[in-house]
Amino acid sequence: MTKSSTPDAPTPKLNEHSLSDVRKTATLIDNLTGIRFELPLIDGTLGPKVIDIRKLYTDSGYFTYDPAFMSTASCDSKITFIDGDQGILLHRGYPIDELAEKSDFLEVAYLLLHGELPKASEKQTFERNITYHTMLHEQVHEFFRGFRRDSHPMAVLCGAVGALSSFYHDSLDIHDPQQREIASHRLIAKMPTLAAMAYKYSVGQPFVYPRNDLSYSSNFLNMMFSVPAEKYKINPVLAKAMDRILILHADHEQNASTSTVRMAGSSGANPFACIAAGIASLWGPAHGGANEAVILMLKEIGHKNNIPEFIKMVKDKNAGVKLMGFGHRVYKNYDPRATVMRRSCHEVLDELGIKNEPLLEMAMELERIALEDEYFIERKLYPNVDFYSGIILRAMGIPTSMFTVIFAIARTVGWISQWKEMIEEPGQKISRPRQLYSGAPKRKYVPLHKR
Ligand code: CMC
């Protein structure tokens, strides 16, 4: 960035640049002093240009102000691209609907981590690496027993994943690429085991050990639903649907939980602790907690006939009610993941022979009414991925409290890929945002007896 001139100066320094350079800068003019600052513009492969403000403070003494990151690119990433206006989501360049249809979760995990689709031998090795890390240190079972049985499984997952750093000391050195890789495999592999354990613990059933002969999704279903007393038969349609749900949630650019993981990791914290931080952020109802909130909302509405009254409440700012599963910070169009999820939802209900599922009927009616309503049209509010995912999961027999946990299983791949990308960046620095301070100016301490 260059400071260029005051209005009184005869020729702005801008002219020192060649014409092509000028096109690659944006000019910030301080109207108080008249000083102009040339800020470089950087092109990505896709998406808007960014204004490089890294040197703005050093050169001008100003910070930028963007509290909820409405216009801020917080990093340079090659993993996921979203065009919110067009409703496009690409992982390493591949459209999400193609991946959901043609790929499988572990292949997508490899793609996110390594940048390319694996060759057959690479896929086999990767699957083997993940499969052979699915078991947990036996002591983790004892650790689990410290939780209350009625804990929310996200509370258990958050604590248990954080605790993994106390079990796997041999993969905590983030400067060793091999240890980073082992930690990544461990996290991807152990997350379904921990998630299923959180469920089993809450219903008082024995933990089920992972089975390495099963696919990632089938193994998870088996750990969730099998019991020692009888054989559990995995329905391949449900395993496929679970796999698709995982693909659709695998990564989503710099969302709140991913940014949390990057921020935590920027200080050099170990990956288990960073992913625990991501889980905490995901838990909120504005983020991963929305799939659970959609079902609670549909139950509260209770009947199709009550929808118009509910919509009225959503539009009333004083009521503080949101239409859960609708709206997105980035998508101002149909969330491409919701399109796949909607289709998948019908497939699963057909397979299970569930006809006239009242929650699905209500969801479809709610969607129809909302999409025709001026309030939602004006604000570009469309269904997001979570609008339909809860209905599928519920039909599969997954309890509502486990919905966000399943989101966390999937997103672990995105978190760990983004963490890896950040750690491997040359010159990586700790993230340290600044602030607009609006508190009290410097003042003298007042002793207690004088207050
Ligand atoms: N229902 C009703 N009004 C809404 C909704 C909604 N779901 N979402 C946004 N609005 C309104 C909002 O009140 C505001 O209105 P106004 O301009 O009159 O003040 C306008 O639309 C813009 O919304 P915003 O709150 O500025 O948007 P945001 O980008 O800050 O929030 C969001 C995005 C996802 C947090 C929000 O849309 C929301 O709370 N949706 C419901 C929760 C949900 O489904 N979350 C899952 C997101 S997808 C999964 C994930 O990525 O985790």
Side-chain angles (χ1 to χ4, degrees):
M1 197 200 80
T2 52
K3 194 189 277 188
S4 86
S5 77
T6 65
D8 308 313
T11 321
K13 284 266 174 55
L14 196 65
N15 296 343
E16 282 181 10
H17 297 272
S18 73
L19 197 59
S20 63
D21 279 338
V22 171
R23 286 206 195 107
K24 288 182 184 152
T25 64
T27 308
L28 174 72
I29 305 172
D30 179 346
N31 287 329
L32 281 178
T33 60
I35 297 176
R36 301 160 68 104
F37 300 96
E38 296 304 314
L39 300 161
L41 291 177
I42 307 176
D43 277 311
T45 327
L46 298 169
K49 281 185 182 8
V50 302
I51 304 172
D52 182 351
I53 56 163
R54 280 174 293 180
K55 294 196 178 136
L56 182 67
Y57 175 62
T58 323
D59 290 356
S60 73
Y62 289 127
F63 292 147
T64 56
Y65 180 60
D66 188 16
F69 299 110
M70 305 292 287
S71 304
T72 296
S74 61
C75 63
D76 173 354
S77 179
K78 294 181 171 52
I79 301 175
T80 293
F81 172 75
I82 304 175
D83 182 328
D85 295 323
Q86 307 268 345
I88 292 171
L89 168 60
L90 308 176
H91 290 321
R92 302 286 192 182
Y94 297 101
I96 188 64
D97 50 332
E98 259 187 78
L99 292 172
E101 192 191 330
K102 299 177 184 159
S103 187
D104 59 65
F105 179 65
L106 283 188
E107 185 173 82
V108 172
Y110 184 97
L111 174 70
L112 289 170
L113 271 168
H114 299 291
E116 294 297 335
L117 286 167
K119 295 190 176 72
S121 63
E122 289 166 336
K123 188 166 193 269
Q124 204 180 8
T125 309
F126 184 68
E127 284 177 354
R128 192 182 181 286
N129 283 336
I130 299 300
T131 305
Y132 280 81
H133 279 112
T134 49
M135 277 179 71
L136 286 158
H137 190 295
E138 198 62 14
Q139 190 68 17
V140 177
H141 291 216
E142 301 310 313
F143 179 81
F144 254 73
R145 294 185 208 289
F147 287 110
R148 279 175 62 137
R149 293 261 175 196
D150 60 354
S151 313
H152 193 287
M154 281 299 277
V156 175
L157 197 68
C158 201
V161 171
L164 292 184
S165 44
S166 71
F167 289 96
Y168 300 104
H169 295 156
D170 59 344
S171 53
L172 299 183
D173 180 359
I174 63 156
H175 303 294
D176 176 348
Q178 211 189 346
Q179 291 199 33
R180 287 204 297 270
E181 186 169 36
I182 294 171
S184 307
H185 291 165
R186 282 183 167 148
L187 276 156
I188 296 167
K190 293 180 200 307
M191 202 59 87
T193 316
L194 285 169
M197 280 170 75
Y199 170 62
K200 287 296 194 190
Y201 187 67
S202 71
V203 291
Q205 290 182 5
F207 298 138
V208 175
Y209 284 96
R211 268 182 49 190
N212 293 353
D213 60 318
L214 296 176
S215 73
Y216 192 82
S217 302
S218 299
N219 175 46
F220 174 60
L221 291 178
N222 187 61
M223 288 188 292
M224 279 287 293
F225 296 120
S226 70
V227 287
E230 59 186 68
K231 231 179 151 59
Y232 171 71
K233 201 163 173 289
I234 298 154
N235 180 332
V237 175
L238 300 192
K240 175 83 195 144
M242 178 55 75
D243 204 70
R244 197 173 285 157
I245 288 173
L246 296 180
I247 294 175
L248 293 176
H249 286 91
D251 191 48
H252 211 226
E253 207 224 52
Q254 307 310 321
N255 54 83
S257 57
T258 302
S259 301
T260 303
V261 169
R262 278 185 178 258
M263 175 80 103
S266 74
S267 70
N270 77 69
F272 301 103
C274 296
I275 301 301
I279 294 170
S281 167
L282 184 74
W283 195 358
H287 192 5
N291 49 15
E292 186 177 341
V294 169
I295 298 296
L296 299 178
M297 174 189 75
L298 292 174
K299 283 187 180 163
E300 207 178 297
I301 298 173
H303 194 274
K304 260 170 34 175
N305 297 347
N306 302 331
I307 293 176
E309 193 54 35
F310 180 75
I311 295 276
K312 219 192 263 173
M313 221 155 61
V314 167
K315 288 157 48 176
D316 174 5
K317 288 280 166 215
N318 299 321
V321 178
K322 281 214 163 144
L323 177 51
M324 300 313 284
F326 254 71
H328 198 275
R329 168 61 59 79
V330 182
Y331 294 119
K332 301 301 168 200
N333 200 326
Y334 218 96
D335 176 344
R337 303 167 300 172
T339 317
V340 182
M341 203 63 96
R342 195 179 199 268
R343 219 172 30 236
S344 203
C345 191
H346 287 286
E347 275 169 30
V348 168
L349 295 182
D350 281 352
E351 168 64 21
L352 295 173
I354 300 175
K355 300 238 181 312
N356 311 325
E357 156 64 28
L359 289 192
L360 178 64
E361 282 185 1
M362 259 201 299
M364 285 172 56
E365 182 64 1
L366 200 53
E367 183 185 353
R368 188 189 66 75
I369 293 177
L371 291 179
E372 287 172 0
D373 193 297
E374 213 31 57
Y375 174 95
F376 295 90
I377 297 170
E378 240 174 46
R379 291 169 178 76
K380 300 189 175 160
L381 299 171
Y382 291 87
N384 60 50
V385 67
D386 287 329
F387 194 66
Y388 283 105
S389 64
I391 297 170
I392 309 185
L393 291 169
R394 190 167 175 270
M396 290 166 87
I398 308 270
T400 317
S401 61
M402 284 293 289
F403 292 0
T404 314
V405 170
I406 288 168
F407 193 155
I409 296 177
R411 188 55 60 85
T412 295
V413 164
W415 290 331
I416 207 74
S417 305
Q418 301 264 354
W419 170 82
K420 175 178 182 282
E421 180 176 68
M422 179 192 66
I423 296 293
E424 291 174 0
E425 207 171 88
Q428 180 266 324
K429 280 184 159 71
I430 187 168
S431 292
R432 178 59 170 86
R434 300 305 303 267
Q435 62 176 7
L436 170 67
Y437 177 69
S438 53
K442 188 177 175 192
R443 49 186 168 161
K444 265 192 145 6
Y445 179 79
V446 183
L448 190 59
H449 66 277
K450 286 198 176 161
R451 282 176 225 160

